[in-house]
Amino acid sequence: MELSLREALAAKSREILPEHLLLGLISGDVPAARLLADHGFDLATLRARLLA
């Protein structure tokens, strides 16, 4: 949740939205990010699409 809050604040959002939760899950060296990367997801592309 802390990473999701950081994402929300960076986006100047007053609340944590679903995209902030997803961005928090793929930020940094967290198990969810490693799992997605291990299954072939490009985290940079996923992040860019979430921010678009």
Side-chain angles (χ1 to χ4, degrees):
M1 288 299 292
E2 181 180 341
L3 294 173
S4 299
L5 174 60
R6 289 181 188 184
E7 293 291 345
L9 293 174
K12 295 184 172 66
S13 179
R14 297 183 70 196
E15 57 190 16
I16 298 173
L17 301 173
E19 57 265 34
H20 302 133
L21 292 170
L22 290 171
L23 287 166
L25 285 174
I26 64 170
S27 297
D29 187 33
V30 295
R34 287 191 303 270
L35 178 72
L36 289 171
D38 289 347
H39 281 86
F41 285 89
D42 180 358
L43 299 182
T45 300
L46 183 57
R47 180 175 180 77
R49 288 185 179 186
L50 287 168
L51 293 172

